[in-house]
Amino acid sequence: MSGKTEDVCDDYGFHFLDDVAPAVMELMAAGRQSRNSSSYYWDNISRQEAFLFQYTLGGSGTVEIEGKPVAVEKGTAFFLKMPGEERYYFDEAKNAAPWEFVYVMLRGMGVEPYYEYAVSRLGKVMTFPEFHPVVKLLLDIHCKARNGLIHNGFTASSEVCRFLCLLCDKSVCRENRLPGLIDSAKTYMELHYKEQITLAQAADALGVSGGHLSREFVKATGEQAIHYLTRLRLEQAVRLLTSTEMNTEEIGRQCGFLDGNYFGKVFKKYMRISPGRFRRQAREQGFISVRV
């Protein structure tokens, strides 16, 4: 007699007539499963357009990204865009049974920018403690689905928006005490951002490689180190644009940019507006300060 536990699937799909078309963000499905056999296998290459976020509650499974298998253990999630080249499955020989997980399937043109933002900072495979607000909300969405509390497309879209915003908010549930290396890296960049330092120079000053600093910085803060350095420079640039009459060339140099042209390109990339136009709009609106 086999001692293998049966698979358990508690899944809910959604298709609402009471909704706008096309919806910017849609909840296609929410589910919680327990898998024990190799019959659980998904190849994303031919699947319909969607985004899948799946978080492991217990046991483990496998996800293949760029042909490389990655163990998805307790506390680990993956975020995938479909169709795609990734595969995920339960390997009876290598994974720990039962693989228990909770997931949401999303779609809509509004989802992709959040997906790109999250993946660029955390990767397609990411980790969250079980008490993290992202995990709590994921479980709450499933609970609402099971109890029939997601009544229409508007309710569903609001849940999707809440989930994506929590996922992308790097300030949510971060440790107050950062590892020594990251604390030192932040201090170094805060002291030297006005100089034309690079991430490699910062890493060298701290006695580590640039790759190691980048990996550890993302792991501890949810943000790439180079983004943190750029944000420090842009925050100072915004202060100078709104409180002084300095020209943009001088502001760029004082904020660690090579020259005014490069400052303008970086500013427009992140702020979606030129420095000069930003200054005019801030003054027209009467803003005292602007957060970036």
Side-chain angles (χ1 to χ4, degrees), residues 21 46 54 56 71 104 116 120 140 142 148 158 198 207 234 236 283:
S46 59
Q54 185 163 307
T56 297
V104 287
E116 296 292 347
S120 70
D140 184 58
H142 174 258
S158 69
T198 64
L234 290 177
Q236 176 65 1
R283 291 181 176 178

Side-chain angles (χ1 to χ4, degrees), residues 35-48:
R35 292 290 186 168
N36 301 271
S37 72
S38 56
S39 62
Y40 182 75
Y41 181 95
W42 288 98
D43 189 332
N44 286 345
I45 194 67
S46 59
R47 298 179 74 182
Q48 64 176 306

Side-chain angles (χ1 to χ4, degrees), residues 73-289:
E73 301 175 335
K74 182 179 179 179
T76 305
F78 56 80
F79 199 9
L80 305 178
K81 178 182 177 181
M82 300 179 288
E85 297 181 354
E86 299 84 10
R87 299 186 297 166
Y88 57 99
Y89 49 86
F90 182 79
D91 186 328
E92 293 185 35
K94 297 181 180 180
N95 295 138
W99 183 19
E100 299 179 59
F101 55 83
V102 59
Y103 73 89
V104 287
M105 191 85 75
L106 317 171
R107 69 181 168 196
M109 61 182 180
V111 177
E112 184 152 9
Y114 290 89
Y115 167 80
E116 296 292 347
Y117 186 95
V119 167
S120 70
R121 285 156 176 76
L122 302 173
K124 292 182 179 180
V125 178
M126 53 195 78
T127 59
F128 295 100
E130 59 186 350
F131 56 79
H132 195 282
V134 164
V135 179
K136 289 183 177 180
L137 182 54
L138 196 62
L139 291 167
D140 184 58
I141 291 172
H142 174 258
C143 183
K144 287 178 178 177
R146 185 178 58 201
N147 290 292
L149 298 178
I150 300 179
H151 305 292
N152 53 51
F154 308 112
T155 302
S157 293
S158 69
E159 296 289 350
V160 173
C161 186
R162 287 177 62 207
F163 174 76
L164 292 172
C165 287
L166 270 180
L167 182 63
C168 292
D169 186 352
K170 59 182 176 294
S171 69
V172 174
C173 202
R174 291 291 173 194
E175 296 291 339
N176 293 325
R177 185 185 181 91
L178 294 173
L181 171 63
I182 307 308
D183 196 39
S184 296
K186 282 191 165 188
T187 299
Y188 181 87
M189 287 187 277
E190 288 162 6
L191 291 173
H192 297 280
Y193 74 88
K194 295 182 181 180
E195 305 164 22
Q196 291 174 20
I197 61 166
T198 64
L199 182 58
Q201 288 173 317
D204 187 59
L206 297 169
V208 297
S209 70
H212 179 73
L213 177 59
S214 294
R215 289 189 296 273
E216 294 303 310
F217 201 96
V218 171
K219 188 186 300 182
T221 70
E223 179 179 28
Q224 291 184 14
I226 191 62
H227 289 164
Y228 182 77
L229 177 59
T230 300
R231 183 154 54 84
L232 288 174
R233 289 170 168 161
L234 290 177
E235 286 174 346
Q236 176 65 1
V238 164
R239 283 193 288 270
L240 294 176
L241 284 167
T242 54
S243 64
T244 76
E245 298 299 329
M246 292 169 55
N247 62 47
T248 56
E249 182 79 26
E250 180 60 24
I251 289 175
R253 285 198 297 269
Q254 288 211 15
C255 295
F257 295 98
L258 183 63
D259 54 43
N261 287 334
Y262 182 61
F263 164 57
K265 289 179 181 178
V266 174
F267 192 95
K268 191 168 185 178
K269 175 183 176 182
Y270 285 91
M271 303 294 288
R272 302 182 183 88
I273 190 173
S274 70
R277 189 176 177 190
F278 173 86
R279 170 180 269 170
R280 289 193 298 273
Q281 288 191 359
R283 291 181 176 178
E284 288 170 0
Q285 297 294 332
F287 295 145
I288 297 172
S289 65

